[in-house]
Amino acid sequence: MKLTCIYLLAFSMSVSLFSCNEKESSKPVDEQEEGIEEQDEVVGDFELNELTGDKFIADYLVAKEEVLRSIPQKYIDIARNNLHIAYQHTSHGTHVTYGLFGLQDYKTGDDALFAVTKSYVDKDGKFNDNSEQGKLDLQDYVIEYYAEDGVDASDLSRDETAFIQTTRNYLDDPDNAEINVVMWAWCSIRNHDLQGVYLPGMKTLIDEYGVGGTKIGNGDGQRQNPVYFVFMTGHASDSGNLDEGDPAPQAAIVNEYCQQNQFLCLDYFSIDSHCMNDNYWDDAGDDGNSYKYNNSTAEEGYFYHDWQDSHQLGIDYFENKVYPNNKVAFGQHTTQHITANRKAYAMWWILARISGWDGISED
């Protein structure tokens, strides 16, 4: 059982959720609708292992419905029944969660195949555990409450070293013993010290809490369950993507590191900057907006809007949702559903890879 109140932590703090431009107030969750029928069977005795396969970047080529539907169901089942995700982010990170929450209501059978729950900390500091057997367990915005006093650990961008010790604090708490996947998202990746802080910081956590890590075991101060750490790139920005320190070269640094070291990465930048026919728009923003796409220097076009407007809801795309079985919403900072749809597809590809899929086989 988890602690009933996060404020019982020795290092309790008051934290607000942030957007990229201003603070967002943390709000209690509305009562969720009656959950869908749960799966009763857990798939085997799951344990994290070294990844197989050759592709480790969940980019625009992965972020497609046809790729999602090609994943062998057994790996989706393994992920849904066995993975417990702690995800820390601010507003741009909602592209993943809103997409995951909407996907389960997309097509016939998706309510069971891609079932997901959201657990969270409410405005009074109480942890609300909504996990259910047979549904993917996603614990949202929960790691930040383990930051030391005065440290902003709401995402990777605030205090760029905060994620390291905050993650340790979170994983060392026995109440979080079931967690086996950790993700941190960027607000803006621009000009952050990836090679000096982010990448070595993630590697340190992997060496400590990953498979065979120094903090995995049965002794004092150790945890039994190893953890898989998912890397992320930052969103595209129409204020500039290409110069040193901008989203494109920053994404290249993260992707190269992950591909070489066989770590999985959710490539926000790639998904934001490629339209549905795989064209790359190097001036794209985070809403599928691009002057070059519109062949104009005065007015942006919107390639995701154009695709959505020419396709059918429920057949070609789905509505994203704030919580499972709850209200419809775009991912924050977007005005269409496609961006978050694609990031949900990419996330399930990552979860299937963690669950043993090689990323290629269809049986």
Side-chain angles (χ1 to χ4, degrees):
M1 296 291 292
K2 283 190 174 283
L3 294 177
T4 58
C5 182
I6 290 294
Y7 295 117
L8 294 176
L9 296 168
F11 41 82
S12 62
M13 61 181 294
S14 175
V15 181
S16 297
L17 304 180
F18 292 87
S19 71
C20 284
N21 298 312
E22 59 183 343
K23 291 187 177 181
E24 301 168 348
S25 60
S26 179
K27 299 179 180 179
V29 175
D30 297 333
E31 290 295 320
Q32 296 192 26
E33 297 178 5
E34 190 68 25
I36 60 176
E37 184 179 353
E38 67 183 51
Q39 301 292 300
D40 294 324
E41 182 179 357
V42 176
V43 181
D45 294 323
F46 175 76
E47 61 180 32
L48 291 180
N49 291 298
E50 297 295 329
L51 297 177
T52 59
D54 299 318
K55 184 176 177 62
F56 301 93
I57 311 303
D59 56 13
Y60 74 99
L61 294 171
V62 162
K64 299 179 178 182
E65 184 177 355
E66 58 264 34
V67 174
L68 176 75
R69 304 294 177 184
S70 74
I71 300 173
Q73 181 177 335
K74 69 177 182 179
Y75 297 110
I76 299 293
D77 291 343
I78 290 171
R80 192 185 63 252
N81 283 284
N82 295 282
L83 297 185
H84 303 272
I85 306 165
Y87 181 35
Q88 186 57 50
H89 61 95
T90 47
S91 54
H92 277 96
T94 61
H95 299 179
V96 175
T97 52
Y98 290 9
L100 290 176
F101 300 151
L103 174 61
Q104 66 174 3
D105 299 323
Y106 184 14
K107 293 181 177 177
T108 301
D110 289 347
D111 57 342
L113 185 60
F114 301 114
V116 60
T117 61
K118 171 177 175 171
S119 298
Y120 63 96
V121 178
D122 67 21
K123 68 177 183 179
D124 297 320
K126 179 182 178 182
F127 179 78
N128 290 259
D129 185 355
N130 294 314
S131 60
E132 297 181 36
Q133 183 177 338
K135 297 184 180 183
L136 182 68
D137 175 22
L138 195 154
Q139 302 189 19
D140 207 16
Y141 298 111
V142 292
I143 308 176
E144 64 181 312
Y145 294 93
Y146 285 78
E148 306 291 348
D149 285 343
V151 173
D152 186 348
S154 51
D155 65 21
L156 289 168
S157 308
R158 306 300 172 172
D159 177 338
E160 65 179 349
T161 65
F163 77 96
I164 303 170
Q165 187 58 46
T166 304
T167 300
R168 289 189 181 115
N169 295 342
Y170 177 79
L171 294 176
D172 289 346
D173 187 340
D175 286 339
N176 303 315
E178 81 281 9
I179 293 298
N180 53 18
V181 178
V182 166
M183 289 177 42
W184 284 80
W186 296 92
C187 173
S188 171
I189 201 171
R190 178 175 278 118
N191 294 327
H192 282 281
D193 185 4
L194 304 182
Q195 293 170 315
V197 177
Y198 177 56
L199 300 181
M202 288 287 280
K203 183 60 165 58
T204 295
L205 291 172
I206 291 167
D207 290 343
E208 293 175 353
Y209 296 96
V211 175
T214 58
K215 293 192 176 183
I216 303 302
N218 297 310
D220 291 341
Q222 292 187 307
R223 70 188 333 260
Q224 291 186 335
N225 291 328
V227 178
Y228 195 89
F229 293 86
V230 178
F231 290 70
M232 297 179 75
T233 65
H235 66 83
S237 174
D238 58 2
S239 64
N241 285 319
L242 303 179
D243 291 340
E244 183 178 358
D246 281 347
Q250 295 284 73
I253 290 170
V254 177
N255 287 332
E256 180 180 7
Y257 179 84
C258 289
Q259 187 65 31
Q260 288 181 350
N261 291 280
Q262 301 185 356
F263 299 140
L264 293 172
C265 177
L266 179 51
D267 190 359
Y268 257 50
F269 178 76
S270 174
I271 297 168
D272 287 346
S273 58
H274 287 81
C275 59
M276 296 296 278
N277 63 2
D278 296 346
N279 285 338
Y280 172 51
W281 305 98
D282 62 18
D283 69 331
D286 54 7
D287 194 19
N289 48 306
S290 163
Y291 291 99
K292 292 182 179 180
Y293 168 75
N294 202 37
N295 196 27
S296 170
T297 59
E299 185 176 358
E300 292 178 307
Y302 288 79
F303 50 79
Y304 281 154
H305 266 286
D306 288 350
W307 190 91
Q308 179 174 294
D309 291 345
S310 64
H311 288 77
Q312 187 174 350
L313 176 65
I315 301 297
D316 304 303
Y317 71 96
F318 61 89
E319 293 177 317
N320 309 308
K321 294 187 175 179
V322 176
Y323 305 106
N325 311 116
N326 202 274
K327 66 179 181 180
V328 173
F330 306 124
Q332 293 184 34
H333 305 285
T334 65
T335 56
Q336 37 68 35
H337 290 290
I338 309 306
T339 296
N341 280 195
R342 299 194 77 184
K343 289 170 182 175
Y345 299 150
M347 187 63 202
W348 270 111
W349 184 90
I350 286 174
L351 298 178
R353 296 283 282 113
I354 294 172
S355 300
W357 184 46
D358 63 7
I360 300 173
S361 63
E362 297 187 15
D363 53 24

